C-alpha cells in the first residue's frame, strides 16, 4: 500500500522498557500490521538523578511507530494506543502524531 502524500499519519510513542511489544500485539489483534518497536536509551524528568552527574541516568526506552493510512485511522489508532498503553500516568511515556510524507510497502 503506497500512502499518498499528506494523507498518511505516523504515530510515535516513547515508552518505558517492556511496554512496546504489548502495544504492537494489541494492534496486530486489531488487524494493524504497520507497527514497529525499536529500542533506545534516554531519560525524562521523572527518572532518578545521578548524584555525581546531576542529571538523570539514561535508562532503556521503547519507541513504537505506527503508520495510519489517513487522518481518521490515525485518530482512532492514537486513541487506542493511548488507552492500551496507559500513557496517561506519571512516567507512562509520550506520543505524538504527524503527517507522513510518503511510504512504500515492506515486502
Amino acid at each position: 500500500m503506497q500512502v499518498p502524500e499528506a494523507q498518511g499519519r505516523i504515530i510515535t510513542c516513547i515508552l518505558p522498557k517492556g511496554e512496546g511489544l504489548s502495544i504492537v500485539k494489541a494492534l496486530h489483534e486489531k488487524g494493524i500490521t504497520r507497527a514497529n518497536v525499536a529500542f533506545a536509551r534516554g531519560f525524562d524528568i521523572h527518572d532518578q538523578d545521578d548524584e555525581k552527574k546531576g542529571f538523570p541516568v539514561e535508562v532503556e526506552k521503547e519507541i513504537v511507530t505506527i503508520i495510519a493510512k489517513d487522518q481518521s485511522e490515525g485518530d482512532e489508532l492514537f486513541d487506542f494506543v493511548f488507552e492500551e498503553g496507559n500513557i496517561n500516568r506519571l512516567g507512562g511515556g509520550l506520543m505524538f502524531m504527524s503527517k507522513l510524507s510518503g511510504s512504500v510497502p515492506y515486502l
Side-chain angles (χ1 to χ4, degrees):
M1 168 181 85
Q2 188 166 357
V3 178
E5 187 173 341
Q7 284 188 357
R9 298 294 185 261
I10 183 167
I11 301 167
T12 305
C13 310
I14 302 172
L15 305 167
K17 180 182 176 182
E19 298 189 15
L21 190 56
S22 63
I23 289 177
V24 172
K25 286 181 180 178
L27 287 165
H28 193 263
E29 289 172 5
K30 286 179 61 81
I32 304 297
T33 59
R34 301 173 311 274
N36 184 54
V37 179
F39 302 94
R41 295 186 63 79
F43 59 86
D44 61 43
I45 61 171
H46 303 295
D47 290 334
Q48 188 173 4
D49 282 351
D50 181 327
E51 293 179 15
K52 293 179 183 177
K53 295 180 181 178
F55 56 88
V57 177
E58 290 184 346
V59 296
E60 292 182 52
K61 305 287 184 182
E62 294 184 4
I63 302 170
V64 176
T65 53
I66 306 150
I67 304 299
K69 58 186 171 188
D70 56 30
Q71 178 69 45
S72 176
E73 183 181 55
D75 290 340
E76 178 187 329
L77 292 175
F78 191 94
D79 292 342
F80 176 78
V81 170
F82 185 82
E83 294 298 323
E84 187 73 24
N86 198 17
I87 305 290
N88 193 24
R89 62 181 165 86
L90 187 63
L94 69 92
M95 58 188 298
F96 57 92
M97 180 169 55
S98 55
K99 290 182 180 179
L100 183 64
S101 60
S103 70
V104 295
Y106 180 75
L107 302 174

